[in-house]
Structures are given as C-alpha cells and as structure tokens.
Amino acid sequence: MFSNKEYASTLAEDNTPTGLESTDTGYGKDIKSSLHDGDSSSTSLPLPELQDMLVLTEEEEDAYRRYLRKADLYLTIFICTGYMMSFLNRIALSQAKPVGIAADLRISDITVPLSIFYVSYLVFQVPSNIVLRHVRPSIWLAFLATSWSITGGCGALVKNNAGLIIVRFVIGMFEAGFTAGAIAVFASWYPRDKLSKRLGWMYSSASLASMWAGPAAAGLGSINSSKLRPYQILFIFYGGISLIWSISAFFVVKDYPETCSFLRKDEKKVISKIMAQQGTEGNVGEFSRVQLVRSLLDWRIWAWSVLGFLANIPAYTGPLFAPIFTVEMGFGRVAGQGMSAIPNFCSFLVSFFSGKLIQLAGGTSAAVAISQVFNIAGFIMAVSTTQSAVRFVGLCLFTGASVLSVPAIPGWAVSNQSGITKTAMASAMVSSFGSFGGFVTSYMYPSATAPRYIPGHIANISVCAAVVIGTLLMRISLQVSNRRREKTPADISHLSPTELADLGDRHPSFIYRV
C-alpha cells in the first residue's frame, strides 16, 4: 500500500521544525505538532498511521534502504534459522514414526503425543508475549530456544507413552513463546508494508526444515547403534543443533532498532519516525492495559484467529503426514521419506515468495482465497484416485498452496493493528489459535484410514472452502469500514496524546489493508 515516498513518518524538505507539511486531518485537529524532530517524549507516544502526511527526502530514502538491508541480514536471517530449528523439533515425532518409535515404546498410535504439543502451544503464546513486553527479546527468545532444545533432546530418554506426552507438552510450551515473540519482534522492526514478506521468509524456513528433515530422518534412522534406537538418535540430533543456535542467540539477536549497535544514527532516526507514526515503535516495559482490553474485545482479531486456525489445518497436513503418505503410496520407507522432501520444497518456494505472490494477487485476502482453491484441487487429486503418481502431485499441490496462508493471515492481522501492545496481542492470538490447527490435523489421518485417507482429505476440502468464505467476508468488512471513515470522519480533537495513541486502528485516519 505504501512506497517509500508515501510514509507519513519522515522529514520533508522544507523549513518547518518537524518537516511536516501543515496538513489538517479533516477531523478538527492539525496533528503537525504531534511529532517533533527532537522531542523524544512525542515519539514515545506512538500515533496511529496517518496517510500521506510526510515524504522521505533522498537522504532518508537511502538511509531507509540501508536499514532494511541490515535488518534482513543481521536479524531476519538469524530468526528464520531459529524458527527452522523450532519446527524441526516440532515435527521430530512425525519423522520418528517411520523409523519405529511406536514399536520401540510399545505404543499403538502416536496421535496423542503428536497433538498434545498444540495444546500447550495454544495456551502459552499470549502469556509469553506479555512477558516479552518486560524482558529483552534477545534474552527471552534465547531462553525459550535453549529450553525447547534441551527438552527435545531429552525425548531420547523416554521409555513409554506417558513420558513422550510430557516431553511434547513441554516442547510446545517453549516453542509457543518463540513463534509469537518472533512475530512481535518483526512488527517492531519492520513497517506494515514490509512485514508480510519477512513473515513469509520465517515460515518458509519451516518448509525448508520439513524439506530436509525427511532425508535426514531416513539417513539417521539407518544408523546401526548398539546403544541407541533410531528415534533416540533423531531426537538427540535435532535437539543438539537447536541448542547451538539458542546459545548463539543470546549474543546475536538484537532487541529494537533504537538500541541496536549495527545501525547508524540516520538509519535509527528514519525507522523510528516511521514506526512511531504507525504506532508500532516498541521498547521493553511499554504496555497499555487499554490496548490489552481492546485486543481481547476486538472481533476482527478473533475472526483472524479463527481463519488462521482453519487455514493451518491443511497447512499442517503436509509437514506432519507427507513422510507417512509417501510411504503408504508404496515407495518404501527410505525412498518414501526421501521423496517427502519434494512437496516440502514446493511449500518452501511458496512461503519464500509469499510476499511477491500476495502482491501479484492484489492483496492478502485475494492471495489467501486463491491459495485455498489450489488446496481444494490438490486434495481432490489425492482422494479421487488410487494412482500413486496423481496422489503425489496432489500432495505437492496442497502442501505448497496451503502454506501461503500461514504467514499471510498473521501478517494481515498484525498489519491492521496500531499500538505496541495491541500489535503484540494480535500476533500472539492469531499465531496461537492458528497453530492449534495442528492439533486437529493430528487426529484427521488415523492409521485405520490408510492408505487413501479419504475422511481426512474430504474434511480438508471442507475447511479450505470455509477459509475462502471467511476471507471474503473479512475483506468486505474492511472495505466497508474504510469507506465509512472516508465519508463520515470522527472528531478526535478533544483527545489527549495518550488517548490518541490508544485508539490504534480505531483512529479515523487508519486505513485497513485488504
């Protein structure tokens, strides 16, 4: 929605102290005095996004481009790697099933240990994001990663189903905070129109993890050891490489742009004004109870959460069951696990280029709806025939298409928020409820329905149709709100700066992104 010259957050080339043109909002209040170049107290009270108020000078555009390059290189790539580590531990149990964990632990089915992860994942995301407002992200995210890495490695010590359930529950508890925290950190580093692309990169790292996890599990499962079973080798390996990342995170992850050492002053200045203007400039300790309550009462955040939940049901089908599907297609254990890399590679490509795909589709809502249509086509191919080649193509299609909604819906929700606390709450709520879709997916493909898994595929077709309908209804709602604000703007001239900051997306100049 914005180009560099459209940000209402930087200095224009004029002689006014703020660089703002004397522009009236049309709501009875000239907000030029709200942002002062040298007034830190003003920028500490972030205002909602005000469209077309400022332009970037040539020097500021250059500083902004340098800022984005540095943030991508030093922050985003590292956090994406951390998310890949978390996803490896998340799907470790699915990878361990073909190498014999059920037989080794004498359990008939791994559905309960597989699904219990998503219970703790749902419960602990919002509390973790509240903690994140009071603890430095570099410390909190690193602590969570260290905790899930050690717990994942300890999975090699379990002797029965109960122990496996406990380990999976604890892993979900720690991973929940990392995912929501990473989204909140991205929202504090990147403007609204840059956020979806970075979230797409983060979620593509999960697809990358799934892509090489299958061949890795096949190789690790073939190791002959007199002391360790194949699933134990798998859990130790995944936990070990995650632990290496988590220790380095204490030193590598940077907290916020304004406290970052690798940014120059002009880069900090331009991003600070952009983020303060749209209400997402963050720092440790900043917390608004008003925004917290409004987040919990915002029906749109709950609606995005439901959409994320539904969209994640088909999205988790590939990562959780692709190794099982390919083996059931008759390719054999080693070859089947190796071939599961192909649909996950399709998923990786879609995730990585999700920002471009959303742009080509004309917006997030259109991209989500189109991707769900492709999902439906893939599931129909998987369920309508017994031919392995057709079913495999269908697997590639729905595994690839379904993943687009995973970064798109949280990014859509977060980009339509303003205010530090409300943004963090939206990211936690949508992410946590979305990930709970994996809980449902865990029960959709029981072994009794093998090898075609007809009930699970039909259920996914219905879910995809529901996502299309819900997405279009949300799009219509946002368009109606934008038109209403344009035609009948509200008078906010009587509000204090703090009250203005807490308006968030209720500010009459806030334009929803569809």
Side-chain angles (χ1 to χ4, degrees):
M1 185 169 65
F2 303 101
S3 66
N4 284 348
K5 296 191 176 189
E6 290 173 328
Y7 274 108
S9 53
T10 55
L11 300 176
E13 292 181 311
D14 60 23
N15 296 322
T16 62
T18 63
L20 277 162
E21 297 176 353
S22 181
T23 307
D24 187 86
T25 63
Y27 313 125
K29 183 178 178 68
D30 184 348
I31 58 95
K32 181 178 75 173
S33 60
S34 297
L35 291 175
H36 289 280
D37 187 16
D39 187 355
S40 61
S41 63
S42 297
T43 57
S44 66
L45 291 172
L47 296 176
E49 181 179 16
L50 302 172
Q51 314 291 341
D52 303 322
M53 292 290 295
L54 294 170
V55 294
L56 292 174
T57 66
E58 186 175 340
E59 292 78 10
E60 289 162 345
E61 286 183 353
D62 180 66
Y64 182 50
R65 283 192 293 267
R66 282 187 277 109
Y67 167 82
L68 290 176
R69 284 196 298 268
K70 289 182 179 179
D72 289 343
L73 181 63
Y74 295 110
L75 177 77
T76 302
I77 292 177
F78 190 77
I79 288 185
C80 288
T81 305
Y83 188 75
M84 180 172 67
M85 296 296 105
S86 75
F87 203 79
L88 280 175
N89 283 270
R90 188 180 312 180
I91 64 174
L93 183 55
S94 296
Q95 299 293 338
K97 182 179 180 180
V99 300
I101 187 173
D104 290 335
L105 297 183
R106 296 181 178 85
I107 56 179
S108 58
D109 192 42
I110 64 168
T111 300
V112 175
L114 196 65
S115 62
I116 197 66
F117 169 94
Y118 300 99
V119 176
S120 55
Y121 198 93
L122 170 67
V123 171
F124 288 98
Q125 283 214 29
V126 172
S128 178
N129 255 25
I130 294 176
V131 173
L132 187 64
R133 300 312 313 159
H134 302 279
V135 180
R136 288 169 50 195
S138 57
I139 295 177
W140 184 238
L141 296 184
F143 163 75
L144 293 173
T146 302
S147 300
W148 91 56
S149 300
I150 294 175
T151 307
C154 288
L157 302 177
V158 301
K159 302 298 183 183
N160 51 45
N161 193 40
L164 188 59
I165 291 174
I166 293 173
V167 167
R168 293 285 297 175
F169 183 88
V170 176
I171 292 176
M173 179 177 67
F174 290 123
E175 286 200 17
F178 183 87
T179 303
I183 295 175
V185 169
F186 279 144
S188 296
W189 274 78
Y190 289 101
R192 294 170 67 201
D193 66 327
K194 306 296 182 185
L195 185 60
S196 291
K197 182 177 182 179
R198 275 70 189 182
L199 289 180
W201 291 350
M202 186 180 83
Y203 285 108
S204 73
S205 66
S207 301
L208 188 63
S210 299
M211 184 177 68
W212 68 266
L220 293 171
S222 301
I223 296 176
N224 293 320
S225 173
S226 59
K227 296 183 179 180
L228 296 174
R229 303 300 299 165
Y231 81 89
Q232 294 176 312
I233 297 175
L234 198 67
F235 287 164
I236 293 173
F237 176 74
Y238 287 166
I241 60 175
S242 295
L243 187 60
I244 295 173
W245 182 92
S246 62
I247 294 174
S248 61
F250 282 102
F251 308 99
V252 177
V253 174
K254 305 301 178 183
D255 298 316
Y256 299 101
E258 59 268 27
T259 61
C260 182
S261 59
F262 61 72
L263 293 177
R264 290 168 40 174
K265 289 184 178 180
D266 59 338
E267 296 162 354
K268 292 181 180 181
K269 183 177 180 180
V270 69
I271 194 60
S272 178
K273 287 183 176 293
I274 292 173
M275 302 302 281
Q277 177 251 357
Q278 67 179 37
T280 52
E281 184 181 39
N283 216 327
V284 174
E286 297 181 4
F287 185 81
S288 169
R289 288 183 175 84
V290 173
Q291 292 181 27
L292 172 62
V293 173
R294 286 181 176 174
S295 300
L296 296 174
L297 297 178
D298 190 334
W299 72 267
R300 283 196 176 100
I301 294 180
W302 288 106
W304 272 309
S305 299
V306 173
L307 279 178
F309 163 72
L310 293 174
N312 269 270
I313 293 174
Y316 269 103
T317 300
L320 290 180
F321 292 102
I324 299 172
F325 289 159
T326 50
V327 171
E328 294 285 357
M329 289 177 190
F331 296 111
R333 184 185 69 80
V334 176
Q337 281 194 291
M339 289 186 66
S340 68
I342 298 176
N344 285 309
F345 179 68
C346 298
S347 176
F348 166 73
L349 291 177
V350 173
S351 295
F352 189 81
F353 293 106
S354 60
K356 178 62 68 174
L357 293 173
I358 290 171
Q359 183 180 4
L360 291 174
T364 304
S365 57
V368 170
I370 293 171
S371 70
Q372 296 303 317
V373 173
F374 279 99
N375 276 352
I376 292 173
F379 283 114
I380 290 176
M381 293 176 67
V383 76
S384 61
T385 181
T386 58
Q387 295 183 15
S388 297
V390 177
R391 293 167 61 196
F392 186 76
V393 172
L395 173 63
C396 292
L397 184 57
F398 72 70
T399 302
S402 62
V403 79
L404 179 65
S405 299
V406 177
I409 292 177
W412 190 18
V414 170
S415 67
N416 279 307
Q417 309 304 318
S418 184
I420 302 164
T421 303
K422 199 163 188 284
T423 300
M425 287 295 298
S427 71
M429 291 169 65
V430 177
S431 177
S432 60
F433 277 90
S435 298
F436 197 64
F439 176 87
V440 177
T441 308
S442 302
Y443 288 92
M444 287 175 61
Y445 292 93
S447 301
T449 62
R452 294 183 63 186
Y453 299 100
I454 293 176
H457 289 327
I458 292 177
N460 262 321
I461 292 172
S462 302
V463 169
C464 293
V467 174
V468 172
I469 295 171
T471 299
L472 295 179
L473 290 176
M474 177 63 79
R475 178 187 176 94
I476 294 171
S477 171
L478 297 177
Q479 290 174 327
V480 169
S481 294
N482 286 340
R483 287 195 293 268
R484 183 185 300 119
R485 290 180 179 185
E486 183 180 356
K487 292 180 180 179
T488 57
D491 181 11
I492 57 172
S493 59
H494 60 286
L495 298 180
S496 67
T498 301
E499 290 172 326
L500 283 171
D502 284 334
L503 278 178
D505 58 290
R506 295 184 179 184
H507 195 286
S509 290
F510 190 96
I511 298 177
Y512 290 111
R513 300 167 66 88
V514 298

